[in-house]
Amino acid sequence: MAMVQEETKNFVRRAVLPTDPQKAVAEFFLSKQEDRKIKKYPEWDKPRDFPASEVVRARCDLANVEKKLRAKWLEQEKRREIMNKQWQDMEHDELILRESFIKFNRFVRENQEKRERAEIKIKEEKERQAKRRDEIEDLREKLKHMINVREKMKKYVDEYKKYQTYLEKVINETGEFHSISEIFNRYETLIEARSILSVHQDKNLQALETTGTEIYHMTETKIQKFMGLNNLLAQLQARRDKVDSKALKWETIVSKIKASAAEKNLKHTQVKTCCWNLYQQTCKRKDVPVTVSKDDTEQQLEHIKRTILELKRIIKVAKKRAAKVDDHS
């Protein structure tokens, strides 16, 4: 409250009367408009308008306005304090709400992560159980297979028992072998030697067949190549004959063209010579100098054309005059 009063005192100190005449006149007219709203008194009861009284009235109005302004200022300060307090409360509530939102978001995220980890563990456990079930099934299949193998082996042992007895009898009677394994080794050695000889024989036969096949293919290839070359030679000879006939034909045509060109060139030279002679004669008859070059045939013909036209006009005029003379006679 003391601070408000101090600010009010400062505001009163700063409020000075305007020294600008225009502002003073404007305030005067404003005060006049305010006076119109006040109750009117009789003319004899009103004080006369003097500048001093107007100044006093203006100061009174200014004091009233300053009083209202101070009241508004105090009211504004109270409202500002209330709004500042409300704003602080709102900021505090916003901070609390934001912290609670962050905590809730963290709680939701942690629960989501825990849920995802739990789902991953459940998935891994299901996969592990499925894998173990598959392994159990594989072991059962293997056990079943081993049982079948044992039964087959037992059957084979019972079936081949007589052969073992026979081999033992052979060892006892011959005295060449000391055990059944030696008999099997001898048998395997003989089988291996037989297979090696068979392989060598097959290789030799295969090499012989391969060589014969290669010779056959080579012969076929060479024959086909020779036939192709013969065909190519025949084609080339046929093409050469055609080219020779075409060359003879075109040579004849070229000779004819050359002869025709020489004839036309000769005619062209004769025409140019005639044009030049005729041009010279016309110039000589007209008694004018030769100004056109010998190679400019176009200008020569143009000059000859003009000369012929002039002669035609002269003949026409001469005929008209001759006709007039005949008429007079």
Side-chain angles (χ1 to χ4, degrees), residues 108-155:
V108 171
R109 190 165 55 252
E110 289 177 356
N111 287 338
Q112 183 67 24
E113 291 176 355
K114 290 179 181 179
R115 181 179 178 181
E116 290 177 356
R117 288 197 296 270
E119 290 178 353
I120 292 170
K121 288 182 179 179
I122 292 170
K123 184 178 179 181
E124 290 177 352
E125 185 64 27
K126 288 182 179 180
E127 290 177 355
R128 193 178 298 109
Q129 290 178 2
K131 186 177 180 181
R132 292 293 181 269
R133 284 195 295 269
D134 294 337
E135 290 177 355
I136 291 169
E137 292 295 329
D138 292 338
L139 291 173
R140 286 178 179 175
E141 292 293 332
K142 289 180 180 179
L143 179 61
K144 185 177 180 181
H145 178 68
M146 294 301 292
I147 292 171
N148 293 330
V149 170
R150 187 188 65 179
E151 294 295 331
K152 289 181 180 179
M153 292 295 292
K154 185 177 180 182
K155 183 179 179 180

Side-chain angles (χ1 to χ4, degrees), residues 225-239:
K225 189 174 182 181
F226 181 73
M227 292 175 66
L229 291 174
N230 287 332
N231 294 330
L232 182 61
L233 180 61
Q235 292 176 2
L236 291 174
Q237 288 177 352
R239 288 177 63 185

Side-chain angles (χ1 to χ4, degrees), residues 75-99:
E75 184 180 357
Q76 182 67 24
E77 288 295 330
K78 290 181 182 179
R79 289 183 179 179
R80 183 178 294 175
E81 289 178 358
I82 295 170
M83 290 180 68
N84 289 334
K85 188 173 182 307
Q86 291 177 354
W87 184 260
Q88 291 176 0
D89 294 338
M90 288 177 67
E91 288 181 348
H92 182 67
D93 294 338
E94 181 184 2
L95 183 61
I96 294 172
L97 181 62
R98 185 176 296 175
E99 290 178 354

Side-chain angles (χ1 to χ4, degrees), residues 50-61:
F50 294 102
S53 63
E54 293 295 335
V55 171
V56 171
R57 189 180 296 109
R59 288 181 178 177
C60 291
D61 294 337

Side-chain angles (χ1 to χ4, degrees), residues 26-53:
E27 291 180 358
F28 173 74
F29 281 108
L30 289 173
S31 63
K32 284 293 185 181
Q33 290 178 1
E34 293 292 334
D35 291 339
R36 290 174 184 173
K37 298 177 183 179
I38 303 173
K39 183 178 179 181
K40 300 293 182 179
Y41 293 96
E43 293 293 333
W44 57 267
D45 196 18
K46 290 176 62 178
R48 294 183 179 180
D49 294 333
F50 294 102
S53 63

